[in-house]
Amino acid sequence: MNAFKWLATTVAGSKKGIRDVVVSMIPQGIRVATGFVTSVLMARGLGPAGLGQVALVQSLAETSAQLSDMGIGQTAIRYISRADAQGDSEGQMAVSRWAFRRRVILVLVFTVLFYFLSPWLARRVWHAEDLTAFLRLGLLSGVFIALSSVPSIYFQSLKRFGINASLLTAQALIFFAGILGLAFWKHWSVASVVVVGLIASGICAAASLLLVPRAALWSAAELKRMFPGDAKALWRSPRLDGAMSNALDATEPGRFAFFMLLSSILVILIVRADIWLMGAYLDESQVGIYNAATRFALPLSIVLNALNMALWPRASALDNLPAARALLKKTFRLSFLVACGGVLYALFVPLFAPLLFGAQYEASVFIGQLLCLRYCFSLLICPIGVVGYSFGLARIYWLINLAQLAIVVALNVWLLPRHGPAASAFALIVNDAIGFMVVGAIIWRRMSAAK
């Protein structure tokens, strides 16, 4: 009875947050449902080797898009939300324009860099010289992802999750339709799958840029002030004195972005270490088996991403310790409930891997279970980590990430040759468990000291 009362109280006190999480989950749920079907079709149509090549192409494109973020997205959400809470509409637009300029500059730089690195990666690292053309073609989708990210950030910061959901849903359905077409005409190839992905991401980017207010992307008057005399202002963060006045953490945007840059680079390396090191130590079929296993973790990643999306603007607007403590307590309760359900999902759902993907994917069962358990840890650490930024912990998070990266790489190098792809899944579990324990301990000490 007490447990039921606790559950009812938790849900009743978080109705608006739950609604925003659910709205954010809808497009991701559609993406998972369609993505699961497409992964089955691709696994059967391309085979493990072809699926492994697609995973490597997508990995490089997504890495280019993620490197172009460099903490910009989270910084923009943080300070657009603060400006919105203060009623500073011009501040909102200034931060959005600054984020868009940075994303465009960085994605172009990394696209060019990876374009020239592609032959070396294909030949020397992944031992597949014919992959070069596909890697270069796939980089365009990274550009489209970067272009559509700032409009998405803008709507998320203002808690307009419905518009965000519509755009993401459209992209998923377009990609799904393309894969269904390939299956219908039996036109399977790595190139055709990459092209379908480019079309879907390109349409989504164009729609995103058209929906967002023009002032959130560029200002003619602002550009005139920058050129030719102050071109450095393209990169320099805007001043937000009003949005900083009542903030729990008074770190200014440029400094916060620097710490987020360090953390972002390290996190990207952590989450990409599995695919990259498997490409170096294992054959393509084993990469394909791992890629199939990751599909079972998608539903849990949906919940995690939705929780993160709903929590960031709320945590960013915090201006006092009691509010931070209340938000953390409320959100952690919900994430704990979801994580408990996630454990049951992790134990049973990946058992269907051979039925869905084929007998050659038997090894995906255990790997899928490990990857799902990893997301259960991620759900627990999400509210702790996000609210932690309001305690000024951005300046030490990158040190924790550095230690996590060293451990993940060491475990992969040590265990991959002995235990295959399961080693990478285990390394990610260790990574999130370390983050949960270390960050949780720091937040507990900060909150206890402030009582």
Side-chain angles (χ1 to χ4, degrees), residues 37-47 50-51 54 58 175 179 188 193 291 295 361:
V37 175
T38 57
S39 65
V40 172
L41 295 174
M42 287 165 54
R44 294 181 178 274
L46 296 172
L51 188 62
V54 168
Q58 292 174 339
F175 183 71
I179 295 298
W188 289 110
V193 172
N291 183 261
R295 305 300 174 178
Y361 291 93

Side-chain angles (χ1 to χ4, degrees), residues 259-280:
F259 291 127
M260 291 304 301
L261 180 151
L262 296 177
S263 285
S264 297
I265 293 174
L266 293 169
V267 170
I268 288 169
L269 294 175
I270 290 170
V271 299
R272 294 299 172 197
D274 52 2
I275 289 291
W276 291 349
L277 290 172
M278 276 188 282

Side-chain angles (χ1 to χ4, degrees), residues 172-425:
L173 293 177
I174 293 169
F175 183 71
F176 181 56
I179 295 298
L180 287 179
L182 296 181
F184 180 79
W185 282 293
K186 293 181 171 58
H187 191 63
W188 289 110
S189 69
V190 175
S192 60
V193 172
V194 172
V195 169
V196 168
L198 285 177
I199 293 172
S201 58
I203 293 174
C204 184
S208 299
L209 294 173
L210 289 173
L211 284 175
V212 78
R214 187 179 66 175
L217 300 176
W218 69 284
S219 164
E222 188 176 59
L223 292 175
K224 285 180 181 179
R225 291 196 301 270
M226 294 177 183
F227 292 103
D230 192 18
K232 291 182 180 179
L234 278 171
W235 193 259
R236 190 165 56 241
S237 63
R239 292 186 60 84
L240 294 172
D241 295 332
M244 302 294 294
S245 58
N246 296 322
L248 186 61
D249 170 39
T251 305
E252 56 92 17
R255 186 166 175 78
F256 185 86
F258 173 73
F259 291 127
M260 291 304 301
L261 180 151
L262 296 177
S263 285
S264 297
I265 293 174
L266 293 169
V267 170
I268 288 169
L269 294 175
I270 290 170
V271 299
R272 294 299 172 197
D274 52 2
I275 289 291
W276 291 349
L277 290 172
M278 276 188 282
Y281 283 95
L282 307 176
D283 59 52
E284 291 175 345
S285 63
Q286 289 182 290
V287 179
I289 287 171
Y290 184 87
N291 183 261
T294 62
R295 305 300 174 178
F296 291 103
L298 287 177
L300 295 177
S301 72
I302 287 177
V303 180
L304 177 64
N305 292 335
L307 177 63
N308 191 63
M309 288 180 66
L311 186 57
W312 256 98
R314 288 173 166 82
S316 299
L318 293 172
D319 60 2
N320 61 80
L321 183 60
R325 185 182 292 114
L327 179 64
L328 178 57
K329 184 177 180 181
K330 184 189 305 181
T331 311
F332 185 77
R333 283 179 174 178
L334 290 172
S335 65
F336 177 78
L337 290 172
V338 176
C340 289
V343 172
L344 295 176
Y345 172 94
L347 294 176
F348 295 105
V349 176
L351 295 174
F352 293 96
L355 178 65
L356 293 169
F357 296 110
Q360 66 267 43
Y361 291 93
E362 176 71 32
S364 296
V365 173
F366 181 57
I367 299 170
Q369 290 173 328
L370 290 177
L371 290 171
C372 290
L373 288 173
R374 176 259 171 137
Y375 272 99
C376 294
F377 276 115
S378 298
L379 284 165
L380 290 176
I381 198 175
C382 176
I384 297 172
V386 173
V387 175
Y389 286 108
S390 295
F391 289 88
L393 298 187
R395 62 178 62 90
I396 63 172
Y397 275 172
W398 72 273
L399 294 171
I400 299 172
N401 298 143
L402 182 61
Q404 289 174 302
L405 174 62
I407 293 170
V408 166
V409 171
L411 287 173
N412 273 285
V413 172
W414 177 36
L415 297 176
L416 272 175
R418 296 172 175 81
H419 301 285
S424 292

